[in-house]
Amino acid sequence: MRKALCMTAAAFFLAGCTASGTGGKNEEKPPEEEKAVHEAGEEKPEPAADLESDEKAEQPAILDKTPKYKIDPENWSLKPLSPDVSPKAVLLTIDDAPDQHSVEMAQTLKKMGVKAIFFVNGHFLDTEEEKARLKEIYQLGFPIGNHTMTHSNLKDLTPSEQKSEISGLNDLVEQITGERPRFFRAPFGSNTDESRKIAEEEKMVLMNWTYGYDWESDYQTKEALTEIMINTPYLTDGANLLMHDRKWTSEALSAIVTGLKQKGYEMADPDTIETPL
């Protein structure tokens, strides 16, 4: 029986992304209490071309980005804004970018003609090479989300520390890409009154997730992860799918998208999600 538990309010404080640090950043495992909860929570490829860190990336061309969806704060799913928009859509999100596999994942999605939000951490933007990776992802047309500077649990931080974690990362992303993030995901899904206030001030949409599995040891192969991501009972209309910059997730990504399409799901364009003005 798979470990996935139905999303509850309590899960908002337990589920989350794998914590990241220095060294083997993408291999560190999440706290033990998170492993049992897959569902929503309150959360090296070749180097890219050498680009100056203070040079703003050229903004991707935008076609019709009329808002079609909003994020439901009750369950973090996509909700159509009008009857003309099909509810049978899912949102792809990738956390802990741009570590070792994000550029490759962006290239895969680009070839398949689908979009995802890449939620970035500031500790993956320490070097010019890492900044160049972020620029490449952005220039491929993918929205960049805020996942804080150091992936700390915001509930352990003072208001001023939370401000540095969130607004400081927005400043850094804007320096690199020329655009501030429009989406915010707290590490471990652990939001606070202060983080909600900062997100509102920064005009970002709060976003946690519906389900995700790739930090669990049972799903760290292409085959196992593909199977659970497309056959989990938590795959529903509007589901918000959590994935990470991981080797096995990158390997499974194409098959996951293909499987979702075969089930009749559209991959929602994040640029059509309603954001604060």
Side-chain angles (χ1 to χ4, degrees):
M1 192 73 179
R2 296 191 174 89
K3 302 177 188 175
L5 305 177
C6 180
M7 178 177 69
T8 65
F12 291 163
F13 300 93
L14 296 177
C17 307
T18 304
S20 300
T22 58
K25 298 176 183 175
N26 70 323
E27 299 299 332
E28 185 176 345
K29 295 181 180 178
E32 196 65 27
E33 66 268 23
E34 296 163 33
K35 292 186 179 179
V37 185
H38 300 283
E39 285 64 57
E42 264 260 324
E43 232 230 313
K44 275 193 180 183
E46 290 298 316
D50 185 19
L51 299 170
E52 293 297 328
S53 61
D54 60 350
E55 178 188 344
K56 290 181 173 58
E58 180 181 351
Q59 185 167 343
I62 296 178
L63 302 176
D64 180 13
K65 301 302 180 184
T66 303
K68 296 180 179 179
Y69 309 96
K70 66 179 180 179
I71 296 295
D72 186 342
E74 295 297 319
N75 58 16
W76 310 111
S77 66
L78 291 172
K79 295 296 181 185
L81 289 173
S82 76
D84 297 331
V85 178
S86 172
K88 200 169 181 65
V90 296
L91 179 65
L92 305 179
T93 68
I94 297 166
D95 284 13
D96 299 350
D99 197 3
Q100 299 180 43
H101 306 283
S102 291
V103 172
E104 179 183 358
M105 296 170 84
Q107 291 169 342
T108 296
L109 294 172
K110 181 75 171 180
K111 290 176 183 176
M112 300 187 79
V114 299
K115 291 285 196 75
I117 302 171
F118 283 78
F119 283 95
V120 308
N121 294 116
H123 60 224
F124 290 124
L125 296 171
D126 293 331
T127 69
E128 295 308 307
E129 179 181 312
E130 290 172 330
K131 292 175 183 178
R133 289 177 189 166
L134 180 62
K135 245 181 222 186
E136 182 170 353
I137 293 166
Y138 178 78
Q139 290 176 326
L140 284 169
F142 295 94
I144 305 303
N146 184 317
H147 200 38
T148 74
M149 290 291 289
T150 67
H151 204 284
S152 299
N153 191 321
L154 296 175
K155 293 182 178 179
D156 296 333
L157 305 181
T158 66
S160 62
E161 288 171 334
Q162 293 181 57
K163 180 74 172 177
S164 296
E165 286 281 334
I166 301 170
S167 296
L169 179 58
N170 275 1
D171 292 342
L172 180 58
V173 170
E174 184 177 26
Q175 175 190 342
I176 296 168
T177 69
E179 182 178 354
R180 297 179 80 77
R182 293 171 286 124
F183 303 101
F184 174 69
R185 174 172 282 162
F188 315 107
S190 184
N191 277 299
T192 66
D193 289 342
E194 185 66 21
S195 71
R196 292 183 182 93
K197 175 184 173 184
I198 296 168
E200 182 178 0
E201 292 172 348
E202 292 278 352
K203 298 183 179 180
M204 292 188 293
V205 176
L206 281 175
M207 185 177 295
N208 290 334
W209 58 90
T210 305
Y211 69 85
Y213 295 88
D214 63 356
W215 61 87
E216 282 284 356
S217 58
D218 287 350
Y219 305 109
Q220 292 182 4
T221 66
K222 171 184 176 180
E223 294 75 18
L225 184 59
T226 299
E227 195 279 333
I228 191 64
M229 289 297 288
I230 63 178
N231 292 315
T232 174
Y234 303 105
L235 173 59
T236 57
D237 290 356
N240 191 329
L241 278 56
L242 171 63
M243 294 177 281
H244 296 79
D245 179 317
R246 300 291 183 268
K247 179 179 184 292
W248 47 89
T249 311
S250 180
E251 292 171 346
L253 189 56
S254 177
I256 290 170
V257 171
T258 298
L260 292 169
K261 286 182 174 181
Q262 288 173 345
K263 286 196 164 188
Y265 287 95
E266 174 187 351
M267 309 302 113
D269 183 344
D271 287 326
T272 62
I273 296 174
E274 185 177 62
T275 57
L277 299 175

